[in-house]
Amino acid sequence: MRYLKPLLLGCALLLPAAVGAADDGADAAISQALKGAWRAPANAARDQYRHPRETLEFFGLRPDMTVVQLWPGAGWYTEILAPVLKDHGKLIDAALPPKGYGESSTSQRYLSKLKADPAVYGKVQVVDFAPPAQLDLGPEGSVDMVLTFRNAHNWESDHQLPAVFQASFKVLRHGGVLGLTDHRAVPGKTVEQVFDSGYMPTDYIIKVAEQAGFKLVAQSEINANPKDTKDYPHGVWTLPPTYTLGDKDRAKYAAIGESDRMTLKFVKP
């Protein structure tokens, strides 16, 4: 397992990654999933930016947990979470419905992925999650962990971030974990200043989560990228994998890599 140097920010203790991290069995299960033949090669190539093993260890994932993943997109993390949780736990993917929403094509690809490999994804439970109309993630206090990867900026753009955190708080048991990563804004920037860039102020995320009842217990630099200057023509989407500018300065943005990201771990007291 990987250990990070403890940090201190304001009044919140920033714990080492090993605190509450995955046990040896979980570490082996995650490592095996990362090597799975079912993973798309293009997805595996992004491990260098997304650090999935370290991130899931930091959040404390175990194979016997019931886990909700919010907005799985095309299933990048589902490729890892589904096999880890298949035998002893449960994965609930709270996905955007495939029809009537802006990401419908992504949702269709995601559903096609699940259907194509039932041996890996056959036990994944899919529920519709489309704030504000559809916010029910399950019975109150019924899950151990809620995970979301690079989605908070989308919910904030629709003014739904508080509602999403409240729904997550409700479905978690006491002591349950909310694990979050997102594109990290320059310190000191307000949410209004970065609203259209895809980046989010860390202190704002923490504030909204705490207002929903969560307690911040740790954050990590696992997904930090000091090369990311966060001042691009089309925001974070200028960088890979989106490359909004196409071939213009592509080598420059490829050298930067994917965005600088916050990695936050909250608990429901």
Side-chain angles (χ1 to χ4, degrees), residues 4-228:
L4 299 183
K5 182 179 179 181
L7 302 172
L8 199 61
L9 178 64
C11 297
L13 179 63
L14 309 191
L15 302 174
V19 175
D23 58 24
D24 290 340
D27 183 48
I30 295 169
S31 296
Q32 183 176 1
L34 289 171
K35 300 173 184 176
W38 56 86
R39 295 195 70 202
N43 288 346
R46 298 178 70 187
D47 289 354
Q48 62 178 311
Y49 303 117
R50 295 187 169 186
H51 311 101
R53 183 174 70 166
E54 295 88 343
T55 299
L56 294 174
E57 286 181 354
F58 175 70
F59 291 147
L61 180 72
R62 298 193 314 271
D64 61 349
M65 284 180 162
T66 297
V67 177
V68 170
Q69 180 186 197
L70 302 179
W71 278 12
W76 196 94
Y77 257 102
T78 303
E79 291 183 349
I80 303 165
L81 293 169
V84 169
L85 298 168
K86 180 179 66 173
D87 293 333
H88 304 291
K90 184 177 183 179
L91 174 61
I92 303 167
D93 272 355
L96 197 65
K99 295 182 179 180
Y101 293 87
E103 290 191 0
S104 59
S105 61
T106 300
S107 297
Q108 291 283 11
R109 292 198 304 272
Y110 160 75
L111 293 174
S112 296
K113 175 192 288 284
L114 300 194
K115 292 177 182 178
D117 199 340
V120 176
Y121 305 116
K123 294 184 179 180
V124 177
Q125 179 182 345
V126 181
V127 299
D128 289 344
F129 188 68
Q134 295 168 298
L135 279 164
D136 186 10
L137 293 171
E140 184 171 354
S142 62
V143 310
D144 302 297
M145 181 175 285
V146 174
L147 298 174
T148 177
F149 304 99
R150 304 167 317 283
N151 287 313
H153 63 282
N154 293 312
W155 296 318
E156 178 60 26
S157 68
D158 290 332
H159 308 290
Q160 295 303 316
L161 186 59
V164 171
F165 282 168
Q166 290 161 14
S168 301
F169 188 86
K170 179 180 178 182
V171 78
L172 280 165
R173 64 171 176 81
H174 292 290
V177 170
L178 169 64
L180 176 149
T181 72
D182 213 328
H183 314 293
R184 179 166 51 187
V186 173
K189 292 286 187 180
T190 66
V191 69
E192 292 80 12
Q193 289 172 323
V194 297
F195 189 76
D196 294 325
S197 70
Y199 293 94
M200 290 289 290
T202 302
D203 56 354
Y204 178 78
I205 295 284
I206 294 170
K207 176 184 175 181
V208 177
E210 289 180 340
Q211 287 174 341
F214 286 105
K215 178 181 179 182
L216 177 69
V217 294
Q219 57 182 298
S220 171
E221 293 299 294
I222 290 168
N223 295 299
N225 180 1
K227 296 179 181 179
D228 181 4

Side-chain angles (χ1 to χ4, degrees), residues 42-43 46 49-50 76 150 183 236-244 250 253-254 257-259 261:
N43 288 346
R46 298 178 70 187
Y49 303 117
R50 295 187 169 186
W76 196 94
R150 304 167 317 283
H183 314 293
V236 71
W237 302 283
T238 308
L239 296 176
T242 308
Y243 289 114
T244 302
R250 191 180 185 92
Y253 297 123
E258 295 191 16
S259 68
R261 292 161 187 168

